[in-house]
Structures are given as structure tokens and as C-alpha cells.
Amino acid sequence: MLARWLMPGLLAGFLGIGGLAEAGPLADRCLSLEASLKPEATVAACNPAFSEELSTVLQVEVLIQRGVALRSLGRYDAAIADLERALTLAPGNADGLRMLAWTERERGNLAVAEAIYTRVLTVDDHWQGWLSRCVVRLDLDRPKDAVNDCREAEARDPGNPDTAYFFARSLNELGTHDEAARVARRAAAAADAPPRIFDELVRAEVALGNRDAARTVLEEGLRRYPENLGLRRLLAVLGE
């Protein structure tokens, strides 16, 4: 989830730097890779791209792409340097700000990450910013604020499984188990519901005293994901 959602080459929110320019072969190769999944290949492809004559837009794209790859490799200082350089070229770029905020979150600078996401939301009212700040506020043990953010994310992108999970989790953390159960139950009904949504639904049902319902939820989760160890452990605990 909280990986880079926007595809390379489709960055949005550039302020005052014109439209997209055509990439040369080196920049095109850099931007064709999924930075979070192939970080070493992405860094290797992006490094020589700067030898081409790049427009400001493409410089920003390549810097963000390489920054995300460096983050995936745990090279946080280098990642932040690239992302901050991109934002120097394109102040207020929402994608660059989101990537910088998540990098700070991964580095453990939660207050900094929260502040950047708050800034992002002043320039781009996108579900991704609301969801990411929800996650950071859960990290900060502020479930009430997290619930508000996840509610905003869900309103902007109904049915998103990542949003549903963190929404249900924040509601459970807040102790609002009845709403957590409703959110998780709706998400669990989807064919592509991830295993972790069943965890939150079980947590809510147990907190509400519905152990039989919780066991039924787990059985359904295991029917879909029979090898999931987390669900199997939960079923064993409920059977005690």
C-alpha cells in the first residue's frame, strides 16, 4: 500500500512547468520500470538518463522514479535527496510530496510525514493522500484522527481494499467495533478481498461478543486463502 500508486510517466500536479515532453531512450527506459518492484534495475536505468537533455518535467519524473527505487533499497538519504531536488524543480508537485512523505514515514519520521501529507492535501484532494495520512496517524497512535482521514479516503474511492482495511483497523483501534465490523464485512464480500480484512472483521466480531460469527468469518477467509498462516492461527485461538 502504501507503494507508489501512480504509474511512471503519468505524474500529475506539476505547477508552472508546462506539459509533458517526449522522453529520450534512456529516460524512457528509466520510466518504464516499476520502481518499487525492481529498484536495483530502476536505479541502474535512471542514472544514465541524466546524460540526455531532459526537460524540467522529465527531470522531475526521473528524480521521483529514482527516489522511489532508492527508498525501496533502504537508501533513505539518497531517496530524500532526489525527491527534494524534484520538488525544488516543481514545488507543490503532489506525487513528489506523497513519495517524500512516505519515505519519511519509512525512516520513522512520523511527525514530518504527517506534516507533508497535510501539505499535499492542500494542493491535491486525492484519496491517496487521505489514506496515507490515515496510516501515519495510526502509527502515531491517534486512531480518532486516522478514522477521519480514512473516512475521507473511502468517500473519494469507494471499494478500495487498502482503504477498507485501514478504515476498519482505525475503527477497531478507536473501539468503534460495530462500525469496524460493517466496514470490514462490506469489504470482505468482494471477490478480491485481501486476507487482512478478515483479521479486522474477526477482531470486531470478537470485541462485540460474536465469537460464532468470528469463527464463520475465519472459515470463509481460509476457504479463500487456505495457506494463510495468520488466519489459521486466529482460528486455532478461537477454538480454544
Side-chain angles (χ1 to χ4, degrees):
M1 173 209 112
L2 304 179
R4 187 181 180 194
W5 280 293
L6 295 183
M7 292 298 290
L10 296 178
L11 302 182
F14 292 102
L15 302 181
I17 60 173
L20 292 174
E22 184 177 352
L26 297 178
D28 188 64
R29 168 63 179 162
C30 162
L31 297 173
S32 71
L33 298 170
E34 179 52 62
S36 60
L37 297 179
K38 298 182 177 180
E40 292 182 352
T42 300
V43 171
C46 291
N47 285 341
F50 292 101
S51 66
E52 296 179 323
E53 186 174 346
L54 301 177
S55 68
T56 302
V57 169
L58 285 172
Q59 287 182 61
V60 171
E61 287 207 41
V62 171
L63 285 166
I64 292 176
Q65 178 81 336
R66 189 172 68 178
V68 172
L70 289 166
R71 180 183 69 197
S72 297
L73 293 171
R75 296 171 57 186
Y76 296 118
D77 289 343
I80 287 171
D82 270 1
L83 294 168
E84 288 183 340
R85 185 177 163 198
L87 289 166
T88 297
L89 293 169
N93 175 262
D95 194 49
L97 285 168
R98 280 192 289 264
M99 297 308 108
L100 178 61
W102 197 255
T103 304
E104 293 287 8
R105 186 252 181 185
E106 287 197 3
R107 199 164 68 161
N109 295 333
L110 299 179
V112 174
E114 181 187 23
I116 297 172
Y117 279 124
T118 299
R119 179 184 170 194
V120 171
L121 290 168
T122 67
V123 298
D124 185 16
D125 186 38
H126 192 277
W127 68 266
Q128 181 183 335
W130 290 104
L131 174 58
S132 297
R133 194 172 69 171
C134 169
V135 174
V136 170
R137 287 176 163 178
L138 272 175
D139 293 338
L140 288 165
D141 196 24
R142 286 164 46 198
K144 184 176 180 180
D145 291 333
V147 164
N148 292 336
D149 283 352
C150 271
R151 198 182 302 280
E152 295 289 345
E154 200 277 335
R156 287 158 178 77
D157 188 31
N160 183 300
D162 290 324
T163 298
Y165 165 72
F166 284 106
F167 193 12
R169 179 177 158 189
S170 61
L171 288 163
N172 273 327
E173 291 288 338
L174 189 61
T176 314
H177 301 297
D178 51 349
E179 187 176 4
R182 289 195 298 271
V183 169
R185 193 178 298 116
R186 184 169 59 245
D192 60 348
R196 62 183 181 174
I197 199 65
F198 293 96
D199 293 348
E200 292 304 322
L201 182 50
V202 168
R203 183 180 176 189
E205 295 287 15
V206 169
L208 292 167
N210 303 328
R211 292 182 68 87
D212 288 343
R215 188 173 292 104
T216 299
V217 169
L218 274 174
E219 289 171 352
E220 172 59 19
L222 284 167
R223 185 186 68 79
R224 298 196 207 180
Y225 303 101
E227 303 304 319
N228 187 276
L229 294 179
L231 294 177
R232 295 176 74 86
R233 282 194 289 267
L234 275 175
L235 186 60
V237 169
L238 278 179
E240 293 176 355

